[in-house]
Amino acid sequence: MRVHEKRLDILADVAILKKQHKTIGFVPTMGALHKGHLALIERAIKENEVVIVSIFVNPTQFNTSEDLINYPRTLDSDVKLLLSLSEDIILFAPSPKEIYREQITSNSYDFKGLENEMEGKFRPGHFDGVGTVLKHFFNILNPDKAYFGEKDFQQLQVVKKLVEIEKITTQIIGCPIYREQNGLALSSRNKRLNQNQLAVAPLIYSVLKQVKKDFGTKSVTTLNNWVSKQFKNHDELKLEYFEIAKVSNLKPIKRKQKNTKYRAFIAVFAGEIRLIDNIALN
Ligand code: PAF
């Protein structure tokens, strides 16, 4: 496996690959790799001649310094996991300076309102940070395809808008959410959950599944109230938001319309750890 920390080194590697007309698949990550990441990487391996994985805890997308400091960093075990998939993966693990040079700041993006809903409301500036770092990565790596998990469905929609705005030719591929057997969506943040929190966290997906079941027959208000009730006075889990939104613009709805795709989105705190999930409703 080739591991690059320097922008110039990966640029040189990419230049050679491009000269050889190799197709490049890119899987951006913040490390603390889990089976969800591995599924993205496996798909990238199937669909491309070369796969580049980045591990970079991007400072500009965190809106509290505690969250940035506490984000799990497990580079050694990440490298082992990557090697278990393929020795041909190229790993790009730069420092913030390699990406941002002197100024660790983000661009201000207009993602046509996608950035203001849900995660955008609760994590101001988050999608500016995501857009900025991905623009850097796309510029450096010029991948043919890039792979993103649907657990961060809003991020996936934002990234599709980013490539449109920036006229980036990379094809953005959304991949299904990877879950534990008990339904908990895999996330690097799960590594921080204690035993009690791990035991109750599957409630999040059970609630989403019930909403999906009832979506055809119950009103949006009834469903919203029912979800709030499931977390009210819960010992371990605190609901931050639950929304049923249109897939096209991620705006929350009050009433369903015909021929429109909807998804339910949820964010829940288990202690200090923030977990998000979502489900397609129709
Ligand atoms: O989803 C993530 O892990 C991050 O937001 C990403 C896409 C790697 C950008 O830092």
Side-chain angles (χ1 to χ4, degrees):
M1 185 165 76
R2 304 204 285 286
V3 181
H4 297 299
E5 291 177 359
K6 300 278 175 222
R7 175 192 279 257
L8 286 179
D9 292 342
I10 191 105
L11 276 170
D13 208 340
V14 168
I16 294 168
L17 295 169
K18 291 280 168 188
K19 233 181 183 167
Q20 296 169 338
H21 302 289
K22 300 261 196 223
T23 54
I24 299 179
F26 173 43
V27 184
T29 82
M30 298 207 296
L33 300 182
H34 51 66
K35 286 186 195 146
H37 292 117
L38 300 190
L40 300 183
I41 298 167
E42 276 173 336
R43 175 146 178 209
I45 290 173
K46 275 201 196 110
E47 296 183 355
N48 301 274
E49 289 167 295
V50 178
V51 171
I52 303 179
V53 175
S54 64
I55 294 185
F56 179 65
V57 182
N58 173 33
T60 61
Q61 72 185 75
F62 287 82
N63 48 325
T64 71
S65 49
E66 288 99 301
D67 197 21
L68 173 59
I69 291 163
N70 290 324
Y71 198 84
R73 288 160 173 86
T74 56
L75 189 60
D76 290 347
S77 54
D78 290 348
V79 168
K80 282 192 192 122
L81 277 175
L82 292 176
L83 279 170
S84 74
L85 283 189
S86 159
E87 296 195 354
D88 297 331
I89 291 167
I90 299 174
L91 172 60
F92 184 37
S95 67
K97 212 170 169 185
E98 281 299 315
I99 296 297
Y100 287 101
R101 305 190 196 271
E102 300 311 318
Q103 292 250 312
I104 302 190
T105 53
S106 38
N107 306 334
S108 177
Y109 278 107
D110 174 2
F111 293 119
K112 304 291 168 226
L114 292 173
E115 74 280 23
N116 300 326
E117 305 300 332
M118 300 178 293
E119 292 300 286
K121 264 186 215 141
F122 290 93
R123 305 183 66 188
H126 170 69
F127 290 116
D128 281 340
V130 171
T132 304
V133 78
L134 288 175
K135 178 154 187 268
H136 282 300
F137 280 129
F138 289 147
N139 279 344
I140 297 168
L141 307 174
N142 191 9
D144 296 277
K145 293 181 180 165
Y147 296 81
F148 295 84
E150 286 185 344
K151 185 179 76 67
D152 299 297
F153 191 84
Q154 188 174 7
Q155 168 173 279
L156 174 63
Q157 301 302 82
V158 163
V159 176
K160 286 181 179 165
K161 192 54 84 187
L162 173 78
V163 296
E164 191 184 307
I165 294 169
E166 298 282 7
K167 301 192 172 39
I168 292 167
T169 54
T170 303
Q171 187 187 345
I172 304 302
I173 301 190
C175 302
I177 300 176
Y178 203 100
R179 299 183 182 280
E180 300 284 6
Q181 280 207 328
N182 61 19
L184 177 64
L186 262 63
S187 160
S188 302
R189 291 173 196 273
N190 295 357
K191 292 201 164 88
R192 296 182 56 212
L193 295 172
N194 66 30
Q195 287 308 312
N196 289 344
Q197 293 164 336
L198 272 174
V200 293
L203 174 66
I204 300 168
Y205 185 52
S206 312
V207 163
L208 289 180
K209 276 194 305 187
Q210 190 60 45
V211 168
K212 184 178 174 108
K213 228 174 175 177
D214 292 341
F215 185 66
T217 52
K218 294 194 175 148
S219 75
V220 173
T221 312
T222 306
L223 292 172
N224 286 344
N225 292 340
W226 179 79
V227 172
S228 299
K229 223 166 132 193
Q230 305 314 301
F231 293 94
K232 209 171 170 200
N233 306 324
H234 196 288
D235 286 344
E236 302 280 350
L237 302 175
K238 192 168 158 285
L239 181 66
E240 184 173 53
Y241 67 75
F242 169 78
E243 278 182 13
I244 294 178
K246 266 191 193 177
V247 168
S248 58
N249 59 11
L250 302 182
K251 294 231 177 295
I253 57 153
K254 294 212 168 73
R255 247 172 246 103
K256 294 166 252 179
Q257 285 165 339
K258 279 191 190 144
N259 304 322
T260 310
K261 289 265 175 236
Y262 297 108
R263 246 176 140 98
F265 296 85
I266 193 164
V268 169
F269 273 100
E272 308 212 308
I273 300 131
R274 191 167 178 279
L275 302 171
I276 60 171
D277 202 348
N278 68 85
I279 195 167
L281 295 178
N282 56 356

